[in-house]
Amino acid sequence: GGLLGVSLYTPRLVELTMPRRRVDMQADLGTLPASAGGGVPHLYLQQLPCSWGSLFLPRPWLLFRAYMQARLEGAPGPLVPRSASNGWSTSWKKFMIELSHLSGGVFLYPSFPNQSSLSTNHLEKGEHIGGKKNKLTHRPIDFTVPLLLNLSDLRQLWPPQPLDALPVRDLFTRPTRRSELYARGIEANAAHRGVWRSHAREAAAPALRL
């Protein structure tokens, strides 16, 4: 699968499992061999899209808009195995998760101590946070991460590693390989008879590198 976008935010919570669970990517990635610059890797790839600060690449974004429009008009979508997103009804992220599942695509994520990130979530009340239909609890400690303000930290991202050298996590933050995600996407496309199964694979076409 190809690169679909870049996240500015490092999650502390795995939202697609029920019950939800906490995750510390620095601790998780610290079990891996040191990166080329030494120490814990500061970048990793994950299949999960981020809704709290992201850059989506042009071709995948145009494909996503067309896919979401078709889904909103009634086109059938895939069932993502064991994902809580199957029960979501009003989130665009549900459709992006479906697309990343079908394509095997991934997003580039930062990883710094205490989940310091280039964006954060202040949990402002809206349709999902504090909404009448949402019964889940949203605690600041789970979502509001500190901003990365020290430029010396950003310098640790240089020189960048090729995408193929970065750690990979699936939708549920479990270790995996890009080839395995792509194989799952092919399998999901074969099982899914929706009108977008052939188009979804195109999202993985640009094998972009940093």
Side-chain angles (χ1 to χ4, degrees):
L3 184 66
L4 305 181
V6 178
S7 171
L8 305 179
Y9 176 93
T10 305
R12 286 178 171 171
L13 204 66
V14 179
E15 294 187 276
L16 298 189
T17 60
M18 289 297 162
R20 299 177 298 180
R21 63 181 176 86
R22 293 289 300 272
V23 62
D24 182 344
M25 290 309 302
Q26 274 284 291
D28 181 26
L29 298 177
T31 64
L32 300 174
S35 62
V40 179
H42 290 295
L43 292 172
Y44 68 99
L45 300 171
Q46 185 164 1
Q47 195 173 24
L48 182 70
C50 177
S51 54
W52 301 305
S54 288
L55 168 70
F56 296 96
L57 299 183
R59 183 175 177 181
W61 178 251
L62 290 175
L63 176 64
F64 167 69
R65 288 184 59 182
Y67 176 83
M68 182 169 139
Q69 185 63 39
R71 290 285 283 113
L72 292 175
E73 292 175 355
L79 191 68
V80 181
R82 299 175 296 280
S83 176
S85 62
N86 293 320
W88 299 352
S89 58
T90 58
S91 174
W92 65 267
K93 192 172 179 179
K94 168 190 174 77
F95 303 121
M96 182 63 86
I97 288 170
E98 291 178 0
L99 195 60
S100 66
H101 173 62
L102 288 169
S103 69
V106 292
F107 297 84
L108 183 67
Y109 275 80
S111 176
F112 287 91
N114 199 26
Q115 294 79 51
S116 295
S117 302
L118 298 168
S119 64
T120 192
N121 181 357
H122 293 292
L123 294 178
E124 292 94 341
K125 187 175 181 179
E127 184 175 356
H128 303 294
I129 306 296
K132 294 181 179 179
K133 295 182 180 180
N134 195 336
K135 304 302 181 183
L136 295 174
T137 300
H138 295 85
R139 303 184 305 167
I141 193 172
D142 292 330
F143 293 95
T144 305
V145 300
L147 291 174
L148 193 63
L149 301 176
N150 192 335
L151 292 180
S152 64
D153 290 331
L154 293 178
R155 294 191 184 100
Q156 297 180 58
L157 300 176
W158 191 266
Q161 293 180 274
L163 294 185
D164 289 342
L166 295 178
V168 184
R169 297 295 182 268
D170 67 7
L171 287 169
F172 308 96
T173 321
R174 298 175 304 203
T176 187
R177 297 185 300 274
R178 292 178 69 192
S179 59
E180 184 175 344
L181 294 179
Y182 187 62
R184 291 179 192 169
I186 293 176
E187 183 179 348
N189 273 278
H192 174 52
R193 299 183 181 277
V195 295
W196 285 93
R197 66 175 185 173
S198 61
H199 298 276
R201 291 178 62 184
E202 295 179 9
L208 301 175
R209 294 175 179 272
L210 293 179

